[in-house]
Amino acid sequence: MKKLICLFMALVMVAALAACGIFGQSGDSDYKYVKENGKLIIGYTVYAPMNYFDENGNFTGFDTELAMIVCEKLGVEPQFVEIIWDTKEVELNAKSIDCIWNGLTITPERQETMEITKPYVKNAQVVLMKKGASYDGTKSLIGKSVAAEQGSAGEDTVKADENLKQATYVPKTLQTDCLMEVKAGTVDAAVLDLTLAKTMTGEGTNYEDIVIVDYLAEEDYGVAFRKGSDLCEKVNKIFDELKKDGTMAKLAEKYGL
């Protein structure tokens, strides 16, 4: 009987501790957590003009500079960590990163699982092909091959378009990989972010022979934090300040947004 009572009490204690842990987690302040760490760990992928390395090897970009300004106002150091875009939410919830700040498209589905800031950049999904390629709407790509980044708005656009659904979809880890496939002729087209397409293609780039042939879904970018994070509202307030004082507009002009 003693053993049964001890076992019962042990189980009660374990259950109590677990409950405390659960309630403690839900009530935790993300802002306090980041401040105690003294840094904001920012998840990104290499994606010009948002986050990339320039010709001198310096890490830069619109999102990079904006994040640095915001971190200064929050009183923490920015720490940039390259992630695989397809597993971004797993990284966020595991606390490997504190936010996803890399041209993240705001969607209702993402808003259900993450705390996302108000929009700060407008974007669109575009179709890119080699110069001279025949194109007459997405119906031109039925039966052909189309690349997009896994877990991206480009992938969502391909899967949502009735014509692109009938193409052979080629998922890639990075948007730049999609451009390489088009250049090599291993896919017929790619669906990518307009912000990246404008920066990476055209005269003076490595992809002079690739052009935008169509504009598809328009979208807004936001910064994503863990669901319920109080950091999101703090960043929103800083965004309001940076819009009001012209800082964000100057950055947008600098990076061609």
Side-chain angles (χ1 to χ4, degrees):
M1 179 63 74
K2 267 188 180 178
K3 285 183 179 178
L4 285 173
I5 291 170
C6 287
L7 178 61
F8 174 75
M9 291 301 292
L11 289 171
V12 169
M13 285 180 70
V14 168
L17 286 170
C20 287
I22 291 166
F23 288 116
Q25 269 189 337
S26 64
D28 282 349
S29 163
D30 230 14
Y31 174 64
K32 184 181 176 185
Y33 168 76
V34 166
K35 286 288 281 185
E36 284 175 352
N37 285 340
K39 61 187 176 183
L40 181 71
I41 305 174
I42 300 160
Y44 79 95
T45 61
V46 175
Y47 162 23
M50 310 311 278
N51 309 84
Y52 66 101
F53 293 91
D54 65 18
E55 62 275 9
N56 298 315
N58 299 312
F59 188 58
T60 188
F62 177 83
D63 272 343
T64 305
E65 284 203 47
L66 182 59
M68 291 169 82
I69 293 167
V70 169
C71 282
E72 187 177 354
K73 288 183 175 289
L74 287 172
V76 295
E77 289 294 319
Q79 182 179 328
F80 295 91
V81 174
E82 190 171 359
I83 58 172
I84 296 171
W85 194 248
D86 204 32
T87 58
K88 55 191 175 294
E89 286 193 57
V90 175
E91 298 272 12
L92 185 63
N93 291 325
K95 290 194 171 181
S96 304
I97 56 175
D98 297 314
C99 64
I100 303 161
W101 201 325
N102 186 230
L104 178 111
T105 302
I106 301 171
T107 66
E109 294 76 20
R110 285 175 174 168
Q111 286 174 316
E112 284 180 11
T113 58
M114 298 183 285
E115 210 65 38
I116 303 178
T117 63
K118 59 181 67 175
Y120 67 100
V121 169
K122 191 161 279 295
N123 185 43
Q125 292 302 309
V126 294
V127 180
L128 296 107
M129 298 179 75
K130 275 194 171 181
K131 273 183 185 175
S134 176
Y135 184 80
D136 183 24
T138 53
K139 66 180 182 292
S140 308
L141 296 171
I142 294 174
K144 295 188 177 179
S145 53
V146 179
E149 182 184 42
Q150 284 179 302
S152 70
E155 182 178 72
D156 292 342
T157 302
V158 171
K159 291 181 176 179
D161 187 282
E162 288 305 317
N163 295 321
L164 295 179
K165 279 181 185 176
Q166 300 174 66
T168 300
Y169 173 53
V170 181
K172 303 301 295 182
T173 304
L174 297 170
Q175 294 200 64
T176 46
D177 292 345
C178 301
L179 285 175
M180 289 170 66
E181 295 277 358
V182 176
K183 187 177 179 69
T186 45
V187 299
D188 296 297
V191 178
L192 306 175
D193 289 334
L194 172 62
T195 48
L196 176 134
K198 281 171 62 181
T199 303
M200 298 291 291
T201 63
E203 192 175 341
T205 71
N206 292 327
Y207 301 102
E208 286 186 332
D209 56 339
I210 295 175
V211 293
I212 297 170
V213 295
D214 203 356
Y215 290 75
L216 303 178
E218 286 194 356
E219 59 198 28
D220 292 313
Y221 284 167
V223 181
F225 297 88
R226 285 178 277 277
K227 190 65 180 173
S229 174
D230 54 351
L231 262 170
C232 188
E233 189 51 40
K234 291 188 180 296
V235 172
N236 272 335
K237 286 178 180 175
I238 295 171
F239 277 180
D240 288 342
E241 292 171 19
L242 298 178
K243 286 175 184 175
K244 191 174 180 180
D245 68 14
T247 300
M248 203 175 285
K250 285 177 186 174
L251 268 183
E253 186 179 352
K254 178 179 177 179
Y255 290 101
L257 298 174

